[in-house]
Structure formats: structure tokens, C-alpha cells
Amino acid sequence: GGRMEVLEEKEEEEQREEEELKALEISDKLQDCAPSDVPDFDWSSIDTSQLPSSYKTNSLKEKKLLHIADHFLQQYTHLCPDRKPLFLHPVNECGVEKFVSTTVRPTLLPYTELYHWDGCARFVSDYLTMEPLKFPITPPSSLYSPTTILKYQRGNCFDFSVLLCSMLIGAGYDAYCVHGYATREICTLDETLELCPLLRKPQEVPKGEMKKSSNKYRVKPLPDLQSKFELQQEAKKKAETEAAQKKKEREEAKEVEKPKRDPLYGLRVHAWVLVLSGKREVPETFFINPFTGNSHSTMDEHFLGIESVWNHRNYWVNMQDCWNGCKDLIFDLGDAIRWEIMLLGSNKPLQLLPDAEEEKELSDVDMDDMQEKEEEDMSFNMPPSWVAPIQISPREFETRCSQGRKVIMYKKAKLEKWAPYLNGNGLVERLTIYADLDCTEVMEVREWFKNREDMLDMRKLNKQTQLTTEYFSPGRLFSLKAHTYTSLEPETEHTMEFYNEARVDGLQKRVENANEMTEYFVGRDDFLHIRHMEFGKRGKKIHLAGTRSDINSRPIVQIKECFHRNLEKPADEDVAERIFLITEEMIHLTYHLKDKYITASKKDFFKAAEWDRRGNEIIMTPEMCITYQAGSSEKDKKLLHLYKLLQDLTEEEKQLKKQVQQSEAEVLNILKIRENEETAIKLSVSIYNTERNEKRRQQYEAMKHTKEDELPGQEEQDLDYLAPFLTQIGHREKMTKGQALRIRDDCLADFKRHLIDKANIIQARFEKAVEELQKKDQWFQENQNRLSAEEEDNFLARYSETTFHIHILALRLNREKQTAPQKYLALEEKLHKDPRLAEHLGHA
């Protein structure tokens, strides 16, 4: 029986080993998870000869840190023998071991967008090209500096995280790099099952249903004579059929969209960034996936566990159970039970081996040594980063994506990004939305533009309706805001929206087709809010050379205008709607409703020719106007009043016809301008962009050459140096040769003294600054071990400030010494040519 058990155990062990080997084989095969358009890059071929010495060697403090890290790892493996080794000191690009915390280089870059976490995350995800880990289930053996990663614009998840963490700490966030485990989709940057962020709808707050107000006077509906039971049965049957159909469709869709089972689930190593709440008004702790730049909740099921976290100050090991992913983790790094700190953690030494037998194995001497070592380790401060300052030039920041272009595939969508000015039409982003998961049938295309002279911001093209919608920034001619059309040909369907605040007429929208035009207004003094025009078919078209065939305007059949309520007038005198039936020569007026009335007052005018056939003027008759006055049995108003009203309306009709023709002309003008703009697209360039703005660059070059041609100290010599010396002899018109010579010598001697004094002042400041630096250096050497990390950072900041100040003073002093003789000779020459002294000094 015992033999059988042993055999069974052996079989189980063999089976387990076989499964592990299979998983490792799969991990090797999964190297094709890198995007197919990313060519392989040979990191071993990079040039490291020009890198600073800090990249190639370790300082004494760094060596001591590596020793502490090894001691920490030794204890960790005793405490947690089942856990994977920690990611502590991989080699850098020069093959030198560096502790991960010292690879973080906090940096605040001078771009407004990078002052916020989302801007930093977006920049890193756009700027770098993702490389998968060599082995998906183990962390990398090397970790290169953020400067090298930026130079070659590519890296793995650890490279992305260190760079992003450096930028976030520099911007004031409480950010940490995380070494942990995530799903295949996160690790391989597979977003084909994710909804594109641009398509995510904001969550709508459900509105409470409005209670129907009961009205005892409302008309009772007719009794419903249908069988309610039969209707209920039919509705129930229909609902069941629909629900079954929907369920079937959902299951089919899920089957198609469901990710395939991952044999390495829970083993895939990933690095990301943790941002703790508190600093920079962050309300809640969250994760950032550096590959996408998206934020995730710490409860997100895609993140499956954490081994350790670190920043530029310290390193923490997670001692909490991750059986439920990161959902139950508490991110209180000050909790010594949940997070084991490496430096300056708690006063208690690390727990030793829990088993009594193992404790006995360690001698008392070893115990004492370890305790002393831990106390020493805890008093040790993290050395400053070995990485050179992180710098991104404006050109690199603007270009962003590697090669200036980036493509991301989402669920039923493709997002493309370009650098500004890369495309001649100003295109910077394009989202293509598909109807199917295979991305073959295009439904909609959205394009975003920058730096367009025609102010075009965005364009949407619906492939099913063939409708194009364009959106413009403020500042265009006619204040056009948006334009929807199928064709730029006139008298087809067009919807134009305007910035009504920028227009005198308050026009907000204009909708036009072959037979109709409707205009919508906002904030007008005459309370007009809608104007609707109907057109008839034209007669013969006039064809003129060099113009459109539709030069003659369409005949107007009807103009209808709607007005808001003017509270300064009684309701039955305030027109709500007026209709000009032009072909029928009628005018309908409808007034606003009076309070507690359900019918409105109306007036219908029948226009007759003002002169009859014999040339006699026609007199206004009661038949020419039909009036209905709501709630009044009074007779109609006097004919004179109605006649004046008819005359006013006739005049307004003429003006309206002109207005309609102007609207038509404006539409034609807008269409013609848009057509011209699209055939010759122009991009605007800022006057401060000297690289692209040729005119500005030429001006700058010319100014530079002019300055170079001028003598040094020219500005100073524009002053009248003779004035103080001429006052001594009373500004005489004529002076003797002796006086002229004396004035020249005194002036030159005074200028020489001025140059020497200036140099002496700079020299004194320089010496004082050097003395201060030496004192600071000496103080730091004496107090280095007693300083906290924050005090050390503050001191180093002040130290570098003083060094920079000394450098500037040295440059100024050097410049003064070099230019002083030239300045002196230039003044001497100027005095000889001065008309006040020239006759006496010309031969001297």
C-alpha cells in the first residue's frame, strides 16, 4: 500500500512538472504578442560610450545600498520561501547593477499638459513603443535609465512605469512603480475587446418620473372595449419571445467576444503605476496602466496581484494575500504588517524565521549581527538617482508618436494618431468605427484637425447616410460653427450652425434643401426665433460664363415667422406667428394666447392691387381683412388702423424677400469658400514657431546678423559720455586744443575706471559665492548621516542653485575681461570722430 502511494505521488509530480514545462513553452510562443508593425530592436547595439560616469560605476553609497538589498532579499527568502524573487537591482544599459529606486528620477517638464497625471500618462503611452517582456512570467533582467528609453522611444512595462513615475513625482503626485501580475490583455496591450475611450458614453443620472397632474376637468377617454386579459397574454408571449431572442443574441456575441482561456493566467508579470490619494488633491487611490495611459480602480479585475512597490525614496514588499487580485489590498504603506519596508521602515527589526526549529539553527551570534545590521540599514538614506536629468525638447514633445504616427485597435474601432503638421491637411487623429468585430464594414469615420487656417476642428462622416458634419472653432467668416451636408453643391440638403453671439442677426441654425429653408434665431430684440421659407420651381435658368448655372434665385412661395412673447405688449396685440403667402397674396397673423384662453386672436389680410385697371386707387374694404378677436364681441377695429397695418406688413414683406435672398447668397458664399478651402488647404503657423514660420525665421536671422555686426558695448556707447565733462568748461562754443585733449583724457580715464570697478564687483561676488559653496560642502560632509531624505533633497537643491550662480558669475567675469579693451578702443575712436572735439583731435 505504501509503495502504491509513493508511485501515485511520483506520477502527480511528473504530471505537475509536465504542466509547468507546457506553460513555459507557451510563454516562449507568446513572444508574438508584440504588435506586428513594431520591428525588433537590438538593445545590445546601442552606444553607451557618451553616457555619464554615474551610469558606468557605483558610488560608495550605492554599493552599500546593494549590500543592504542583498541582505533584505536573504531575509525575505527565509520568511517567504514560496514567493518569487524580488525585483531589486537589475543591471542598467552599461551592465552595472542599480537599485530600482535610484532609477526613478523625479522631473517636472516645462509643458502645461505634463502638470497633470492624465497628460503625463497620455504622453508616455503615445511617445514610447511597447515591447513585450522576453519571458512573460518573469521580470526583466535589466532596467535601463529613463533617458535612454526616451532616446530610443521604446521599452517594456517596467521602462514605461519608471518614466511615468518619474514625471508624476516631479509634478507633485504620490506615485509608485508596481511590480505585479495582470491579465494577458493588459500585459500584451491587446485592446481589441475594449471599448474605445472616445466612444464611452458618460453615465446618465436617471431622472425621476414626473407625476402626472390630475385635472378634474379633463375630457374622459372612451371606454376600452378590448379584452385586457387577451392583451396581457399577447404582451407576455411577445415579451418572452423577444427576451429569448435577445438572450440568444447576447450569448452569441459573448461567445465571439469572449477572450480565449489563458494558460498563464495569474503568472504574467506586469509593471504599472500606483497613485496614492492625498497629494495634488487626488481623492482616491488608483492605478495607471502606462501602456494605454488609462486610469483603473484598485478593484479592477485585470490586475491580479502585487509583489512590491517603490519610489525614489524607498521600497515596500506587499505582505497581503492576493487570492482575490488587488481588490482587497489596503494601500497604507505605513502599515508594517501589510507592507514590509526596506529602509527607515519601523523601529522593529524584520521578523525572523517563524519555525522554532529553524530559529534554533541560527546561533545567538548570528542573531546579534543581524539585529545590528538591521539597525544600521534603517538609518541609511536612499542615495540620489544615478540618472541624468530627463529632458524633452519642444520638437520631441510635439511629434509624440514614434515616426509621428500611432495606430490602436479597439473593439469595432481603429484609432490613428499623427503629429501636428505631419499631414498637409492638419489631420492629427482619426477614429474609424466598424459594424463588425473583424473591422471590415465601416460605419463612421471621425477626424480631428489642428492648425487649420479655415478653423476646421473635427469632421464626422456617416458611411450609411453619407452625411458629413464639420465642426469649426470660433473666428470664421459668417461665424460658422458646424456644417452637415451630403454634397457641397448648392440647394442640396445643408444644415449650418452658427456662433449666434458673434452674429448681429442672432442666427443660430439654418436648414436648407431644394424647396425649403428654415432659420433659427436666439436673443433678438424683435423676439423672432424661427423663419421658414418655401420656394417654387424656377423658370428658365440663366447661363453666364464663369458663374454657376443657378445664378437666378428661386421664386419665394411662402415666408413664415414665429415670435416669442413680448411681455411689454398685451397678448392679443403681440404677434406669435405671421405667414406671408406671396403667390396667393395673403398674410395670416396669429397672436399669442391670453391667460386662461384656449384660442388665439387672428387676422387674415387679402392683398389687392393698389391700383385698379383704370388707375384709380383702391379703397380698403372690410372684406380685405378677416379678424377673429378671442374673448371679445366688439366690432372690428377701424379700417384706417387695418389699412396702416396692411401697409406696414406689405413693406416688411419686401424687406423679408431681400433678407431671404441675402440668406441664399450667404449659403452660396459659404459653400463656395468651403470648396476653395478644401481644394487648397492651408495650415497656420505661430509667429513664435521659428522653425516652421519662414518669414519669422528670416527676420530673426537678419536681426541676429545685425547684432553680430555691431561692436561689443554698442548700447553703452550710445550714451553721451562727453556731457559731464563739457559742463565743467561751461559748454563753450569754441574750446582750445588743450581743453579738448584734457576732456578726451578725462573721459577715457573715467570709462577705464568704470570698466575696472565693474570687473572688481563681479570678481568679489564670485569669490563670496565660492566661499559659501565651500562652507556648505563642509557642513554637508559633517552632517550627512544625520539628515533625513527630505532635508538632503532640500540641501542638494540649494547646493545646485549656488553652483549655477557661480557658473553664471564666472561667465560674466570672463566676458567683461574679454570685451573691456574693445569697448575702450571703440570709445576712443568715437571721441576722435565727435564733431565737438574733431578739429582739435583730428591730427593727434
Side-chain angles (χ1 to χ4, degrees):
R3 194 178 173 189
M4 286 292 288
E5 280 174 19
V6 169
L7 284 168
E8 279 173 16
E9 278 177 20
K10 202 174 182 183
E11 274 177 26
E12 276 176 23
E13 200 174 320
E14 281 174 6
Q15 201 176 338
R16 195 163 58 246
E17 280 177 9
E18 206 173 303
E19 281 176 11
E20 282 177 12
L21 282 167
K22 274 183 185 174
L24 285 169
E25 278 174 30
I26 292 163
S27 77
D28 288 338
K29 286 175 187 174
L30 281 170
Q31 294 317 304
D32 61 357
C33 63
S36 57
D37 61 335
V38 179
D40 287 335
F41 182 76
D42 183 12
W43 282 104
S44 61
S45 66
I46 65 168
D47 179 25
T48 57
S49 59
Q50 302 301 312
L51 293 174
S53 59
S54 62
Y55 284 58
K56 298 167 185 174
T57 56
N58 276 321
S59 65
L60 288 170
K61 205 169 180 185
E62 283 178 299
K63 284 175 184 172
K64 187 178 178 185
L65 176 65
L66 293 174
H67 186 66
I68 291 167
D70 285 332
H71 176 64
F72 181 80
L73 185 61
Q74 191 184 347
Q75 283 191 305
Y76 172 76
T77 46
H78 275 303
L79 279 168
C80 313
D82 299 333
R83 283 180 68 170
K84 298 275 180 77
L86 293 174
F87 186 66
L88 282 169
H89 43 69
V91 296
N92 69 359
E93 53 267 51
C94 299
V96 178
E97 279 190 5
K98 295 284 184 181
F99 189 71
V100 287
S101 291
T102 60
T103 310
V104 178
R105 174 73 192 241
T107 307
L108 177 62
L109 291 156
Y111 304 104
T112 317
E113 195 182 323
L114 303 185
Y115 291 170
H116 302 280
W117 74 263
D118 51 346
C120 292
R122 201 163 46 245
F123 173 78
V124 170
S125 67
D126 284 346
Y127 194 77
L128 302 182
T129 301
M130 172 266 190
E131 286 185 346
L133 292 171
K134 196 173 181 184
F135 302 105
I137 58 171
T138 52
S141 56
S142 60
L143 182 66
Y144 291 178
S145 67
T147 52
T148 299
I149 295 303
L150 279 169
K151 184 180 177 182
Y152 296 100
Q153 280 189 255
R154 57 198 311 114
N156 58 41
C157 52
F158 285 84
D159 300 319
F160 272 69
S161 300
V162 168
L163 174 60
L164 178 55
C165 193
S166 300
M167 290 165 72
L168 292 175
I169 294 170
Y173 288 94
D174 192 9
Y176 302 81
C177 295
V178 180
H179 163 212
Y181 305 93
T183 58
R184 176 172 54 197
E185 289 72 38
I186 291 277
C187 295
T188 60
L189 187 52
D190 178 6
E191 295 181 90
T192 50
L193 295 180
E194 290 290 318
L195 190 66
C196 178
L198 296 170
L199 295 174
R200 285 177 197 151
K201 291 177 183 173
Q203 289 183 341
E204 288 182 12
V205 181
K207 292 177 183 177
E209 288 183 14
M210 290 179 74
K211 291 178 182 177
K212 290 179 182 177
S213 56
S214 60
N215 185 355
K216 63 180 179 179
Y217 297 112
R218 66 189 170 87
V219 179
K220 288 181 182 178
L222 291 167
D224 187 7
L225 301 174
Q226 276 185 304
S227 164
K228 286 181 182 175
F229 178 74
E230 280 178 12
L231 286 171
Q232 279 174 358
Q233 289 300 312
E234 277 177 33
K236 195 176 179 183
K237 201 173 181 182
K238 195 178 176 184
E240 281 174 6
T241 319
E242 281 179 6
Q245 183 67 27
K246 279 183 182 176
K247 192 179 179 184
K248 192 180 176 185
E249 283 174 11
R250 261 201 309 273
E251 281 172 3
E252 282 174 7
K254 269 186 183 177
E255 200 60 43
V256 175
E257 293 172 21
K258 205 175 181 182
K260 290 174 186 174
R261 190 183 158 274
D262 181 15
L264 297 178
Y265 182 83
L267 297 173
R268 288 180 184 272
V269 170
H270 189 55
W272 65 93
V273 172
L274 162 72
V275 180
L276 294 186
S277 59
K279 279 191 175 183
R280 285 296 304 268
E281 297 177 5
V282 173
E284 200 175 336
T285 299
F286 65 95
F287 294 149
I288 302 172
N289 180 10
F291 282 164
T292 60
N294 297 334
S295 65
H296 297 263
S297 161
T298 54
M299 311 284 280
D300 195 312
E301 58 192 16
H302 287 95
F303 297 92
L304 306 175
I306 291 176
E307 287 286 355
S308 60
V309 303
W310 68 90
N311 65 0
H312 62 306
R313 294 254 170 85
N314 222 322
Y315 189 95
W316 293 262
V317 180
N318 175 32
M319 305 306 285
Q320 300 168 77
D321 197 344
C322 293
W323 68 272
N324 195 20
C326 299
K327 291 177 185 176
D328 302 328
L329 296 188
I330 293 166
F331 293 94
D332 175 13
L333 300 181
D335 187 336
I337 295 164
R338 292 188 171 95
W339 295 92
E340 195 65 71
I341 195 165
M342 199 180 97
L343 301 176
L344 293 167
S346 61
N347 294 325
K348 295 176 186 175
L350 289 170
Q351 279 185 312
L352 291 172
L353 308 175
D355 297 338
E357 290 174 7
E358 289 177 338
E359 277 183 22
K360 283 175 188 174
E361 286 172 18
L362 292 167
S363 65
D364 295 340
V365 180
D366 290 341
M367 291 278 285
D368 292 342
D369 288 350
M370 284 181 82
Q371 209 157 348
E372 279 172 28
K373 206 167 191 61
E374 280 156 13
E375 282 170 15
E376 188 188 331
D377 292 353
M378 284 189 288
S379 65
F380 183 80
N381 287 334
M382 188 69 71
S385 177
W386 54 274
V387 178
I390 296 170
Q391 292 173 333
I392 297 164
S393 71
R395 189 67 185 266
E396 288 167 340
F397 180 70
E398 188 190 67
T399 307
R400 290 291 179 91
C401 318
S402 181
Q403 311 303 318
R405 181 174 183 259
K406 186 169 186 174
V407 182
I408 308 165
M409 295 303 298
Y410 292 103
K411 180 183 170 183
K412 298 184 183 180
K414 178 171 79 172
L415 182 64
E416 298 163 276
K417 295 179 181 183
W418 289 271
Y421 297 103
L422 190 71
N423 293 318
N425 61 352
L427 181 67
V428 291
E429 210 167 16
R430 177 163 58 210
L431 175 68
T432 311
I433 303 162
Y434 299 93
D436 57 330
L437 284 166
D438 296 330
C439 298
T440 53
E441 189 190 334
V442 179
M443 282 176 65
E444 189 182 330
V445 178
R446 298 179 193 175
E447 297 176 322
W448 286 265
F449 301 87
K450 266 186 183 176
N451 309 305
R452 292 262 300 219
E453 276 197 3
D454 59 9
M455 309 278 186
L456 179 64
D457 270 343
M458 184 194 172
R459 183 187 284 137
K460 278 185 190 177
L461 172 60
N462 190 320
K463 288 283 184 179
Q464 282 147 332
T465 59
Q466 293 303 314
L467 270 179
T468 301
T469 307
E470 296 176 329
Y471 299 90
F472 300 88
S473 298
R476 262 187 72 89
L477 190 64
F478 304 117
S479 305
L480 185 64
K481 183 180 186 179
H483 182 202
T484 304
Y485 60 91
T486 49
S487 160
L488 283 174
E489 282 298 310
E491 293 175 31
T492 53
E493 288 195 12
H494 294 278
T495 302
M496 296 180 184
E497 290 178 45
F498 300 88
Y499 291 98
N500 56 279
E501 306 89 349
R503 286 184 66 109
V504 179
D505 58 1
L507 179 65
Q508 187 183 41
K509 190 163 99 171
R510 182 185 284 132
V511 182
E512 187 204 26
N513 58 31
N515 306 315
E516 292 179 323
M517 185 191 284
T518 310
E519 295 179 325
Y520 300 85
F521 300 90
V522 173
R524 279 177 68 116
D525 294 337
D526 60 0
F527 297 92
L528 174 70
H529 67 98
I530 295 173
R531 182 187 288 142
H532 177 77
M533 292 77 82
E534 285 181 22
F535 303 100
K537 290 179 181 177
R538 355 175 122 70
K540 286 183 181 179
K541 287 189 178 181
I542 303 167
H543 294 276
L544 295 173
T547 61
R548 291 179 180 273
S549 59
D550 47 17
I551 192 86
N552 62 329
S553 56
R554 296 168 284 183
I556 303 163
V557 174
Q558 176 184 313
I559 302 171
K560 175 183 170 183
E561 291 189 313
C562 301
F563 298 86
H564 286 306
R565 178 82 175 87
N566 181 0
L567 296 170
E568 291 178 7
K569 290 181 182 178
D572 54 358
E573 287 179 25
D574 185 17
V575 177
E577 182 184 281
R578 64 184 187 186
I579 303 170
F580 296 90
L581 296 164
I582 289 153
T583 49
E584 297 170 33
E585 294 202 333
M586 286 172 66
I587 301 169
H588 295 298
L589 296 184
T590 306
Y591 293 87
H592 282 280
L593 281 171
K594 290 198 286 185
D595 287 344
K596 298 176 185 175
Y597 278 75
I598 58 167
T599 55
S601 302
K602 291 183 179 181
K603 281 190 179 75
D604 291 348
F605 288 95
F606 302 91
K607 287 195 293 175
E610 289 183 20
W611 304 87
D612 65 7
R613 286 176 188 174
R614 293 178 185 176
N616 298 323
E617 192 173 352
I618 288 177
I619 301 160
M620 179 81 180
T621 59
E623 290 78 24
M624 289 169 71
C625 178
I626 298 170
T627 304
Y628 165 69
Q629 195 72 24
S632 173
S633 56
E634 288 178 26
K635 288 184 179 180
D636 297 340
K637 290 190 177 180
K638 289 182 181 179
L639 287 175
L640 178 64
H641 176 79
L642 294 172
Y643 179 64
K644 280 183 177 176
L645 183 56
L646 178 60
Q647 277 188 321
D648 291 344
L649 288 169
T650 308
E651 187 56 39
E652 281 193 44
E653 189 181 301
K654 285 179 189 173
Q655 296 302 321
L656 270 176
K657 283 180 183 175
K658 285 181 185 174
Q659 186 61 55
V660 172
Q661 285 168 357
Q662 282 174 9
S663 293
E664 283 187 281
E666 188 179 289
V667 169
L668 291 174
N669 210 343
I670 288 170
L671 294 176
K672 185 70 182 167
I673 289 167
R674 283 298 301 125
E675 211 173 286
N676 293 340
E677 285 169 345
E678 284 302 320
T679 49
I681 296 165
K682 291 179 183 174
L683 299 182
S684 59
V685 181
S686 165
I687 60 163
Y688 301 108
N689 191 338
T690 50
E691 277 186 49
R692 291 195 179 91
N693 194 323
E694 193 58 35
K695 188 181 173 184
R696 185 68 184 157
R697 196 178 63 77
Q698 286 170 359
Q699 285 178 353
Y700 177 74
E701 290 292 330
M703 190 170 71
K704 200 173 166 187
H705 289 316
T706 313
K707 278 195 174 179
E708 282 172 4
D709 293 341
E710 285 177 4
L711 285 163
Q714 190 76 35
E715 305 87 358
E716 290 180 21
Q717 293 190 26
D718 287 341
L719 301 168
D720 186 4
Y721 286 105
L722 278 178
F725 303 99
L726 288 171
T727 51
Q728 292 173 11
I729 59 163
H731 285 285
R732 293 176 191 171
E733 287 182 13
K734 285 188 177 182
M735 64 176 81
T736 63
K737 185 182 175 182
Q739 285 174 326
L741 286 166
R742 191 166 68 251
I743 286 170
R744 182 202 65 176
D745 293 343
D746 288 352
C747 184
L748 286 171
D750 185 67
F751 185 62
K752 189 177 180 181
R753 193 163 53 251
H754 162 74
L755 291 172
I756 292 165
D757 288 347
K758 193 175 178 182
N760 286 341
I761 289 166
I762 297 168
Q763 179 76 38
R765 285 179 185 169
F766 175 75
E767 286 169 3
K768 190 180 177 185
V770 169
E771 195 181 327
E772 276 180 26
L773 190 71
Q774 286 170 347
K775 284 179 183 175
K776 281 180 182 176
D777 205 22
Q778 190 181 343
W779 180 85
F780 183 66
Q781 295 295 336
E782 291 169 3
N783 299 286
Q784 187 177 3
N785 295 329
R786 292 201 293 272
L787 293 176
S788 68
E790 199 168 341
E791 285 170 337
E792 193 173 323
D793 283 354
N794 291 337
F795 172 81
L796 289 170
R798 290 198 302 274
Y799 189 86
S800 59
E801 217 173 276
T802 312
T803 314
F804 180 70
H805 182 55
I806 288 168
H807 178 65
I808 295 297
L809 286 170
L811 286 173
R812 280 184 65 193
L813 186 62
N814 193 32
R815 185 169 171 271
E816 279 300 318
K817 285 177 179 176
Q818 284 178 350
T819 59
Q822 291 171 292
K823 286 180 183 179
Y824 184 85
L825 290 169
L827 180 61
E828 191 173 27
E829 193 179 337
K830 191 175 178 181
L831 292 177
H832 276 271
K833 289 176 182 175
D834 192 295
R836 292 166 291 185
L837 306 177
E839 59 178 311
H840 299 296
L841 303 178
H843 63 279

